[in-house]
Amino acid sequence: MTERKIGMIPGTGKQSQGIALRLAQAGYKVMIGSRSTEKATKIAEELNARLSTDQFVGDNNNEVVKQCDIIFLVVPPEYLINTLDGLVNDMKPNTILVDVIVPLSFETGLAYCDDGICTDEATYPSVSECIQAKVPESISVVGAFKTVSAAKLNRLEHPLDVDVFLTSNDVDAKSKLINILSKIKSLRVLNAGPLMFSRTTEQMTALVINLNKLNKLKHASFRVISVPKSEK
Ligand SMILES: NC(=O)c1ccc[n+]([C@@H]2O[C@H](COP(=O)([O-])OP(=O)(O)OC[C@H]3O[C@@H](n4cnc5c(N)ncnc54)[C@H](OP(=O)(O)O)[C@@H]3O)[C@@H](O)[C@H]2O)c1
């Protein structure tokens, strides 16, 4: 078991619980955040019971960012700016913020990726770029897990068997995260370039939801196929 504690903001939603469970299985301690300490504690207890472990601890979101230097942001997009504003002063310098957020809208049964994300100051092409613009320079954003569904993450009895695409402008932050996520079983971690490619991974999420629906697929996900290096 590693001593590093990874924080989930919040850790109470379906997507963040799935990631938290996979990180705990890989040996990490995970802090479950919430606006409510009581709710965080309850979810942490449930996750501990699910894995027969004591790796999960619950606390309010501010306490989580004070204690962890790797923080997954898994808040619904409409609450992102308020949540960030309430936490940014408590974040440690050099924190790595892992952005899992996808801004989707649904129309006539299909998912669409929103055309950028707006703050009072500007419109950004992706959620990741918006977060990076709003935090101090010493804090780096890495986009990850945008294309992996909560349903797939929470099916612990099945191997994940997916690729996860990492985007960031900070090469060191990205390689730290690659090291951490590579410990998750049957997850392949792929470098997907700078933060501007979060726009692509956000759109891929709409695509995979629609592929599921239009083709009656279940838990569709992305695996990049390549030929072995030795092959011509
Ligand atoms: N679900 C997926 O398959 C999936 C896949 C890829 C990416 N994502 C992304 O992951 C994020 C979370 O998705 P989810 O499906 O896990 O959402 P969710 O189950 O609806 O959970 C979201 C959490 O957001 C918090 N929340 C609710 N209202 C809030 C408010 N007014 N202000 C601040 N926080 C509030 C709640 O935490 P507290 O009440 O504990 O504070 C809640 O537990 C989204 O950005 C989504 O785009 C989801």
Side-chain angles (χ1 to χ4, degrees), residues 152-223:
K152 198 151 173 85
L153 287 161
N154 281 286
R155 295 167 86 227
L156 295 184
E157 61 287 9
H158 298 274
L160 258 181
D161 202 20
V162 291
D163 290 343
V164 69
F165 306 112
L166 297 199
T167 54
S168 183
N169 297 338
D170 179 340
V171 173
D172 290 341
K174 204 192 290 176
S175 73
K176 264 190 201 149
L177 204 65
I178 289 175
N179 279 337
I180 291 171
L181 298 184
S182 298
K183 296 195 172 70
I184 296 178
K185 241 180 162 174
S186 68
L187 179 76
R188 185 170 61 164
V189 189
L190 293 177
N191 182 347
L195 225 44
M196 62 177 287
F197 288 103
S198 282
R199 176 77 182 138
T200 308
T201 54
E202 288 165 14
Q203 285 177 328
M204 285 166 75
T205 307
L207 175 72
V208 79
I209 291 171
N210 296 337
L211 289 174
N212 264 321
K213 169 146 193 184
L214 296 169
N215 301 281
K216 298 190 174 40
L217 305 177
K218 209 170 169 189
H219 304 308
S221 54
F222 292 102
R223 259 299 194 205

Side-chain angles (χ1 to χ4, degrees), residues 48-172:
N48 277 328
R50 201 160 160 205
L51 293 190
S52 306
T53 183
D54 59 0
Q55 285 162 270
F56 299 99
V57 179
D59 216 323
N60 63 71
N61 287 335
N62 291 77
E63 204 48 48
V64 172
V65 300
K66 281 181 198 166
Q67 292 193 35
C68 301
D69 55 8
I70 307 260
I71 299 285
F72 281 72
L73 276 178
V74 210
V75 72
E78 60 272 35
Y79 309 128
L80 167 66
I81 304 300
N82 265 353
T83 304
L84 263 186
D85 286 345
L87 296 176
V88 74
N89 290 335
D90 286 328
M91 286 178 191
K92 299 184 193 209
N94 303 316
T95 291
I96 296 176
L97 285 178
V98 186
D99 162 37
V100 185
I101 300 167
V102 185
L104 292 179
S105 304
F106 291 86
E107 222 176 279
T108 56
L110 290 183
Y112 294 85
C113 183
D114 294 347
D115 271 339
I117 176 154
C118 303
T119 67
D120 290 342
E121 302 90 44
T123 301
Y124 299 91
S126 68
V127 176
S128 305
E129 289 161 287
C130 172
I131 299 169
Q132 189 65 77
K134 283 201 67 77
V135 295
E137 252 178 51
S138 72
I139 295 178
S140 292
V141 176
V142 182
F145 282 110
K146 288 179 189 262
T147 55
V148 186
S149 73
K152 198 151 173 85
L153 287 161
N154 281 286
R155 295 167 86 227
L156 295 184
E157 61 287 9
H158 298 274
L160 258 181
D161 202 20
V162 291
D163 290 343
V164 69
F165 306 112
L166 297 199
T167 54
S168 183
N169 297 338
D170 179 340
V171 173
D172 290 341

Side-chain angles (χ1 to χ4, degrees), residues 16-36:
S16 55
Q17 286 186 44
I19 297 169
L21 284 162
R22 300 287 176 170
L23 286 168
Q25 284 185 321
Y28 292 98
K29 294 184 175 170
V30 184
M31 274 197 95
I32 298 298
S34 170
R35 291 165 297 166
S36 145

